[in-house]
Amino acid sequence: MSYRVGIPRGLAYYYLFPFMKGFLSTLGAEVVVSPLSDALTVEAMNCCPTDEPCVSVKLYFAHAKRLVDAGVDYLFIPVLSSVEKDNYCCPKIIGAAAMIRNGLGLQEEQVLAPEWNEREKPGTWRHNLLAVASRLGAGRELGEAAIRAGLAEQAASEKLALEGLTLPEVYHRLYGIDKPRRQRFDPGAQYDGQQVIGVLGHPYVLYDLAGHHVVDRLREYGQVITAEMVPGEDCRQEVATLYEGTRMWAYEARILGAGFSLLRKGIINKLVLVEAFECGPASVIESFLEEEAAKLVIPFLLLTVDEHTGEAGLVTRLEAFIDTSTNLKNNPSKDKDSFCIPAARSEKLKIGAPGMGLLDIALETVLNECKVEMVPTPPVTKRTVELGKELAPEFICYPLVTTLGQIWEVLEQGANTIVMVGGKGRCRFGWYAQLQELLLKRVDLDFRLIIIDSPLPWRERWPSFRQALREATNNAPLWLIARGLYLGYHKMAALDQAEKLLRRKRAYESRRGAADKVWRDFVKRIKKTASVRETARIFKTFQEELAAIPEIAIRPLRVKIIGEIYTVLESFVNQEIERFLASRPELRVEVVRDLSATQWFDLNVLRRRREVNIYEAVIAAAAPYLNVCVGGHGQESVGEVVLAAREGYDGVIQLLPFTCMPEIVAQNILVPLSEKLDLPFLSLVINEKTDTVGWETRLEAFLEVLAERREKLALPAWR
């Protein structure tokens, strides 16, 4: 039996279509590609459950829906977690299959979603493809032949691209599809053979609707070179000049490496980067490309596009850019170490660091034990945000903006060394440190950066972790560092446990605000304590003082907070949401939050059995809806909502910073899922422009919904 297998024209299509075509055709399937984006595609974009994803994801939803409406038997949407051993892919590409399945209400068997995960499960992609072959009625031998055919066609397409063909031209040459239009965009354009323009960006942006034919337009003025025309090995070599550059997202590394190669080898005299509005990885690589172009005096143009981008304005910017004069250096310096961590300094060590909630108390404790001066981390304020926004890329996530501003502030207060956590993964967090160093040094701030990454796995990561600890603690002996870590951990655990008790007490206290007063005194005492025993004594006193506060007999609304960890823990960023919810005049609300610094440390560093068991239960709950990790706490957010429905919560609130990739994946699954679970759900997207009044109005309206629902269910009174 021959099956009709649909391939949405977007995302992975622009990277792996030759493989998919060769694989599926060999299996005897009829391959159906959705039509080129047109007015009907734009109209179908409203099937995307939320407005937060980039335009490419919205278009992907539309293309998938058109295939489903056309009656294909299956959609083929590969789960590209990791296509190379050192890095991951963008969370939205990882989560595309799950978003489409949940967003369009498809059955699991309707989507063929083999996973590639070379970083964590190397080689299993072959097994996953054989499983797809089996579902299509093919045996192992034919499945293996199909894989070989797919690999051969992929190699052929990459070879053609190196001859100077764009991907649409390659696909037309190989399969006769989508014949390139010979349209004249600017009748007055003068072609200049000396003009060589690098045009970078994801092909699913450059060659789809939002790209407005940028490549073809620029070809009327000169030669255009795109990322697919640069040898992969050249790209890998150039991106490796960045600190941990080989761990950048695979396709973004290809774009960035191509840009470095074209710039450093003097091949181009202009560079254009086209990125989708809200594209997370692009917001990181744009700064590195802009810096390199500026260093080599190459004109650089950043074009950010979405479904609302007007063609006229884009064309005007392109034409103005073409008229920009160039000053290409004859022998540009490659400056291979331009973004590496600088060498140690000789002056007295004064550490500064951004914070997250009350985590800076633990860090200061460790450094005090090691006799290292730490400049106190200032709380996030409006000025902090303004400083960060002055330097940050426009569409970078909010946590980078606030932590960037905090680093600037501690440098103003005398810090000469910044400690920042690292860890390259699926989300942007692991690139914060390097990006912040680059941005701050543009305004001539002089400092040394120390990146502390996870020590796990021990055999691989311990040497670099130990070295970072030595630098941050002024070569303190390991036993002293361990003592500081032990005390810092206990302070952090005491604060998190106390805050958990505080959240419960707020819902029951007879006199509003009494628990918060006890909490503030407790935090002051914990900051000053110098021993684990004293920490335990202070915590016990806090428990007693909290217990002494009279309570009223009531059954409060129970609301669970989930989402991106920084946004959940940083009270200025989330506008004191926990306090706000718990202080409504006529309502009693118990806020429950499982995320904390201690919980993260116990799970990811200490691997405590209790936290591992809880995590596994959350992931199991998420699996029917999102069965792969998309980075951050995206998968956990889905699992938490499923468990919240089972445990009888009145509602769930998701907090995510604007453009947060993992939480956007979760959000697009949770919107339809919450309806299915009959669980009130509110997703709040936060950035520096979030209006307090509007924010509070939405929260109050949500609580009213919960209260009315409680009454309709005829549950006991809560007032």
Side-chain angles (χ1 to χ4, degrees), residues 10-28:
L11 300 183
Y13 166 84
Y14 285 96
Y15 284 110
L16 291 177
F17 175 66
F19 177 87
M20 293 189 279
K21 170 72 172 174
F23 173 73
L24 293 169
S25 296
T26 303
L27 293 176

Side-chain angles (χ1 to χ4, degrees), residues 84 86-87 227 230-248 250 252-265 267 292 334-340 431:
E84 298 175 354
D86 290 331
N87 52 36
V230 180
E233 185 56 34
D234 289 0
C235 298
R236 283 186 286 273
Q237 288 178 0
E238 294 294 348
V239 83
T241 62
L242 281 179
Y243 174 68
E244 296 190 324
T246 57
R247 298 174 68 184
M248 180 168 281
E252 284 71 23
R254 180 68 186 264
I255 293 170
L256 181 59
F260 280 173
S261 179
L262 294 173
L263 288 166
R264 292 169 176 173
K265 293 178 180 178
I267 296 173
E292 193 70 18
K334 293 191 177 183
D335 194 9
K336 294 286 188 181
D337 299 321
S338 56
F339 302 114
C340 291
W431 288 95

Side-chain angles (χ1 to χ4, degrees), residues 168 581 680 719:
L581 292 172
R719 289 187 185 274

Side-chain angles (χ1 to χ4, degrees), residues 60 85 102 218 221 355 386 389 396 585 692:
Y60 200 67
K85 67 181 180 66
N102 287 276
L218 290 174
Y221 301 98
E386 289 172 349
K389 199 62 186 173
I396 202 70
T692 301

